[in-house]
Amino acid sequence: MVASQLRGPGRSITNSRVLAAMGKVPRHEFVPERLRAQAYDDHPLPIGHGQTISQPFIVAFMTEQLEPKASDRVLEIGTGSGYQAAVLAELVAEVYTIEIVEELAARASADLKRLGCPNVQARAGDGSRGWAEAAPFDAIMVTCAPERVPGPLAEQLKEGGRIIIPIGPSWSQELVLLRKRRGILEQHAVLPVRFVPMTGDVKSE
Ligand code: SAH
C-alpha cells in the first residue's frame, strides 16, 4: 500500500514519519470483518451508518498537509472508524477525536483502546463545536464536509496552527488548508475531494 498508493506514479507523499505511520497502523483492524480482504485497496470502504473510512492516500495526504510534530495536540472531527486518529496518534503527542454517530464513536473508542493508542481521547458529540475543554490545538483535521469553516474550530486553533478541511456541498468540495496568522485564517485550496457532509449544528465563523 505504501509503495504503490502513497509513493507510486502521481502519488507524492514524501514525509517519512507519515509514511512510517501508514506502514505501521493495521488498517484491517478498523474495517468491518467482511471487507477485511479489501482493507489495503486504493479506495474508501463503508463502515456502517452510511459512513466511510477514507482511501489510504487521502488519509496520508491530509496527515502530511497538517505538518504533524511530535509535540502537537491535534483535534479530529469525524472519528468514523478511528483509523485516521490511530495514524495521527503515531505522529503527535495527543489526539482528541469527536464522532456524531454514537455507535461509531463507541466502536472506534473500543478499537483504539484494544489496539493500544493511549494518547487518543475519543468522544461522541457534535464536532462543529470543537472541544473547548482541551483547546487550544496546534492542528485540526476535519474528515466530514461543512459548507464553511465552523467558527469554534477557528477559535480553538493556536496562532500558527493548521486546519485541513473539505469545504463545500457534496457535488463539489475542495480540500482546504488554513493557517492562523495574527488571528486570521489564510486559506489555500489543495485538492478536489468527496467527503460525507458534516451534520450537527454547524455555525460558521
Ligand atoms: N476519519 C474517519 C473517516 C470519517 S467519515 C476514519 O478514519 O475512518 C466522516 C465521519 O464524520 C462520519 O463518521 C460522520 O458520522 C462524522 N460526522 C459528520 N458530521 C459530524 C459532526 N458534526 N461532528 C462529528 N462527526 C461528524
Side-chain angles (χ1 to χ4, degrees), residues 124-147:
D126 180 356
S128 70
R129 298 185 187 136
W131 191 321
E133 306 87 320
F137 300 98
D138 298 285
I140 301 177
M141 181 183 291
V142 184
T143 65
C144 45
E147 300 232 350

Side-chain angles (χ1 to χ4, degrees), residues 51-52 76 78-81 84 99-101 126-127 143 196 198-199:
Q51 308 302 334
T52 56
E76 182 198 19
T79 314
S81 67
Q84 173 74 72
E99 169 56 52
I100 204 162
V101 178
D126 180 356
T143 65
V196 298
M198 180 180 278
T199 57

Side-chain angles (χ1 to χ4, degrees), residues 17-87:
R17 292 181 70 237
V18 173
L19 290 167
M22 293 295 297
K24 184 167 172 202
V25 176
R27 184 171 162 94
H28 61 277
E29 298 280 0
F30 295 90
V31 162
E33 214 148 322
R34 65 187 170 82
L35 296 174
R36 287 216 168 143
Q38 299 176 53
Y40 296 90
D41 292 356
D42 193 16
H43 51 74
L45 288 169
I47 54 172
H49 302 273
Q51 308 302 334
T52 56
I53 176 173
S54 305
Q55 176 191 9
F57 175 71
I58 291 291
V59 172
F61 184 81
M62 290 178 78
T63 307
E64 182 173 63
Q65 291 289 315
L66 221 47
E67 296 170 22
K69 293 179 192 64
S71 58
D72 280 354
R73 300 171 68 251
V74 177
L75 174 66
E76 182 198 19
I77 310 302
T79 314
S81 67
Y83 174 65
Q84 173 74 72
V87 171

Side-chain angles (χ1 to χ4, degrees), residues 62-195:
M62 290 178 78
T63 307
E64 182 173 63
Q65 291 289 315
L66 221 47
E67 296 170 22
K69 293 179 192 64
S71 58
D72 280 354
R73 300 171 68 251
V74 177
L75 174 66
E76 182 198 19
I77 310 302
T79 314
S81 67
Y83 174 65
Q84 173 74 72
V87 171
L88 285 168
E90 289 291 323
L91 295 162
V92 303
E94 290 170 40
V95 179
Y96 295 82
T97 183
I98 310 177
E99 169 56 52
I100 204 162
V101 178
E102 292 212 8
E103 293 86 344
L104 290 178
R107 192 172 68 202
S109 197
D111 284 341
L112 288 162
K113 224 170 250 148
R114 177 172 60 86
L115 296 165
C117 297
N119 55 340
V120 181
Q121 292 207 50
R123 80 172 191 200
D126 180 356
S128 70
R129 298 185 187 136
W131 191 321
E133 306 87 320
F137 300 98
D138 298 285
I140 301 177
M141 181 183 291
V142 184
T143 65
C144 45
E147 300 232 350
R148 286 180 198 83
V149 179
L153 301 188
E155 280 156 29
Q156 293 174 22
L157 184 68
K158 276 188 198 168
E159 178 63 27
R162 294 86 59 202
I163 302 183
I164 186 96
I165 179 168
I167 301 256
S170 55
W171 61 92
S172 117
Q173 298 163 5
E174 249 341 297
L175 193 58
V176 167
L177 180 66
L178 304 154
R179 205 177 279 270
K180 201 182 226 183
R181 288 204 204 279
R182 295 196 199 105
I184 292 169
L185 290 180
E186 290 175 358
Q187 180 164 329
H188 305 273
V190 285
L191 197 72
V193 284
R194 205 151 195 197
F195 278 84

